[in-house]
Amino acid sequence: MENHCGTSRIAGCSFSVHPMSDKFVDYIKAGLNEVDSSKVWMKTDDVTTTVRGRMEHVFEVTEAILLHIAKTGVHVAFQGTFSIGCPGDSSGDVHMDESEERLNKPQFKEIEQRIAAKFSLYPMGGGDYMDTIYRQIEAMKEKGVEVTPAHYSTRLDGDTRDIFTGLQDVFRETEASGSSHTVMTVTVSANSPSHKDDRP
Amino acid sequence: MENHCGTSRIAGCSFSVHPMSDKFVDYIKAGLNEVDSSKVWMKTDDVTTTVRGRMEHVFEVTEAILLHIAKTGVHVAFQGTFSIGCPGDSSGDVHMDESEERLNKPQFKEIEQRIAAKFSLYPMGGGDYMDTIYRQIEAMKEKGVEVTPAHYSTRLDGDTRDIFTGLQDVFRETEASGSSHTVMTVTVSANSPSHKDDRP
Ligand SMILES: [Ca+2]
């Protein structure tokens, strides 16, 4: 069942991105074209895309794909399940020797894109994570991210970079607190016609 | 954080459905129009829709919404997080006195719709669930659902009703095995241009 994930501290994300447009294929291809994914293992099928590698690159690549599609103004949804520490297979544990240096940050430094996100954290392997979560939530608020409780999740409204930085911090700190297997689901909506103030 | 879910054995699903079309709003509205959701609590915002109630109705309503959109032939993605037993709030524990009788089954009995799905099960509260999972996976295979391991998930290919019945069985049996808090994520793709044999 759940045994197709990494042995070491390789992180991964199984995600999909949905531009709500007749030209969804073009949006996805154009977005992928602008993203440098050379530091992660990446594979796409007809349901999801899987990226695996160092945690910082996994978060950066998923954020970059979302951002490059969203900047066109199309209504786009992103859904990702981030995972680390799932016991199981060993394939794909390449890319762990890559440097920390991010490849995409300079490219999307200038893009301001408000998003609405909902995330849930599932620490499957113990650890003292509740303090960590509350601390990271406070840190997000200080960056201007709006935090609201929601059913089965926590809602975040704000700039894409602040939210993805915050999500990565929560995820990293939860694992550092001793959770041997951590899963985090993230659902994002950008440019929704229902958003009140979608662009800054 | 995770405290906005039910007190009793109320089940719930936070989901979103994404028709990849310029007319996504019309598709969603038409789909919702055909679904009888009077036995569940349901609320939609700009990121997700939440349904809560008896497990069978939660599964039926989510399946019905997906099915009524997919039957139009539009490429549609569904992402849902099913949850039961999350300790927390009490609001929404209405609808638990509804009868078991399904409201939508007759309406979509005739719809044949192949889908590709990926699911992951997170039993947060113990229980002896591995045997249960393997048994339910075998039961799905006997119904003609194709089961393939995937990264961080298990892939299912087959008819929508068989897959949703199988998912509900896995979820229900996992909880029955003693997991006090069970979460299951499901990602579905229907009518993808990348599917090889999308219609039976
Ligand atoms: Ca189809």
Side-chain angles (χ1 to χ4, degrees):
Chain A
M1 278 291 302
E2 302 299 326
N3 55 353
H4 288 259
C5 31
T7 48
S8 64
R9 302 321 281 173
I10 186 170
C13 183
S14 173
F15 73 97
S16 40
V17 65
H18 306 299
M20 255 74 84
S21 161
D22 293 346
K23 296 181 179 162
F24 64 93
V25 175
D26 298 338
Y27 281 111
I28 292 172
K29 279 189 181 163
L32 285 172
N33 239 352
E34 292 193 73
V35 175
D36 189 335
S37 59
S38 56
K39 286 195 174 182
V40 294
W41 178 92
M42 182 151 83
K43 197 176 174 188
T44 300
D45 66 23
D46 53 340
V47 183
T48 60
T49 296
T50 306
V51 284
R52 305 175 75 212
R54 290 177 69 114
M55 193 189 293
E56 57 269 32
H57 298 315
V58 167
F59 274 88
E60 196 204 55
V61 164
T62 50
E63 179 187 353
I65 292 169
L66 168 65
L67 214 42
H68 282 297
I69 295 174
K71 75 176 183 190
T72 65
V74 71
H75 174 29
V76 58
F78 166 94
Q79 197 282 325
T81 300
F82 294 86
S83 186
I84 192 164
C86 181
D89 77 342
S90 58
S91 74
D93 288 51
V94 290
H95 294 292
M96 289 308 286
D97 54 350
E98 299 285 358
S99 70
E100 278 181 55
E101 189 208 345
R102 319 290 170 94
L103 295 174
N104 295 281
K105 285 279 176 199
Q107 292 180 47
F108 59 78
K109 219 162 132 187
E110 304 305 321
I111 308 174
E112 300 220 337
Q113 175 69 48
R114 279 187 67 83
I115 54 174
K118 287 185 180 174
F119 83 99
S120 299
L121 195 67
Y122 305 113
M124 305 292 289
D128 179 24
Y129 59 91
M130 286 312 292
D131 284 352
T132 300
I133 292 172
Y134 291 128
R135 206 164 50 237
Q136 297 301 335
I137 289 280
E138 284 309 309
M140 278 193 231
K141 286 181 187 168
E142 280 156 28
K143 285 176 191 160
V145 173
E146 197 184 327
V147 181
T148 329
H151 275 294
Y152 308 116
S153 65
T154 300
R155 179 175 176 134
L156 307 172
D157 286 88
D159 182 72
T160 306
R161 286 161 301 182
D162 295 338
I163 287 176
F164 268 75
T165 302
L167 288 171
Q168 188 181 167
D169 289 346
V170 170
F171 192 69
R172 187 184 297 282
E173 294 297 319
T174 300
E175 128 128 309
S177 82
S179 169
S180 60
H181 176 199
T182 304
V183 171
M184 182 171 73
T185 60
V186 180
T187 303
V188 172
S189 176
N191 306 320
S192 165
S194 327
H195 291 181
K196 283 178 213 87
D197 52 355
D198 207 41
R199 286 189 178 276
Chain B
M1 277 293 300
E2 301 298 326
N3 55 353
H4 286 260
C5 30
T7 47
S8 63
R9 302 320 282 174
I10 187 171
C13 183
S14 174
F15 73 96
S16 41
V17 64
H18 305 299
M20 256 74 83
S21 160
D22 293 347
K23 296 182 178 161
F24 65 94
V25 175
D26 298 338
Y27 281 111
I28 293 171
K29 279 188 181 164
L32 286 171
N33 238 353
E34 293 193 72
V35 175
D36 189 336
S37 59
S38 56
K39 287 196 173 183
V40 293
W41 178 92
M42 182 152 82
K43 197 176 174 190
T44 300
D45 65 23
D46 53 340
V47 184
T48 61
T49 295
T50 306
V51 285
R52 305 175 76 212
R54 290 178 69 114
M55 194 188 293
E56 57 269 32
H57 299 315
V58 167
F59 275 89
E60 196 204 54
V61 165
T62 50
E63 179 186 351
I65 292 169
L66 169 64
L67 214 42
H68 283 296
I69 296 174
K71 75 176 183 192
T72 65
V74 71
H75 175 28
V76 57
F78 166 93
Q79 197 282 324
T81 299
F82 294 86
S83 186
I84 192 163
C86 180
D89 78 343
S90 58
S91 74
D93 289 50
V94 290
H95 293 290
M96 289 306 288
D97 54 349
E98 300 285 359
S99 70
E100 279 180 56
E101 189 207 345
R102 318 291 170 93
L103 294 175
N104 293 282
K105 285 280 178 200
Q107 291 180 50
F108 59 76
K109 219 163 129 187
E110 304 306 321
I111 307 173
E112 300 219 339
Q113 176 69 49
R114 281 187 67 83
I115 54 173
K118 286 185 181 176
F119 84 100
S120 300
L121 195 68
Y122 305 112
M124 305 293 289
D128 178 24
Y129 59 90
M130 286 312 292
D131 284 352
T132 300
I133 291 172
Y134 291 127
R135 205 163 50 235
Q136 297 301 336
I137 288 281
E138 284 308 309
M140 278 194 230
K141 287 180 187 170
E142 279 157 28
K143 283 175 191 162
V145 174
E146 196 184 329
V147 181
T148 328
H151 274 294
Y152 309 116
S153 65
T154 299
R155 178 174 177 135
L156 306 172
D157 286 271
D159 182 72
T160 306
R161 286 161 301 182
D162 296 337
I163 287 176
F164 269 75
T165 302
L167 288 171
Q168 187 180 169
D169 289 345
V170 169
F171 192 68
R172 187 183 297 281
E173 295 296 317
T174 301
E175 129 129 309
S177 81
S179 168
S180 60
H181 175 200
T182 303
V183 171
M184 182 171 71
T185 60
V186 180
T187 304
V188 172
S189 176
N191 306 321
S192 165
S194 327
H195 291 180
K196 283 181 213 82
D197 52 354
D198 207 40
R199 284 187 181 276

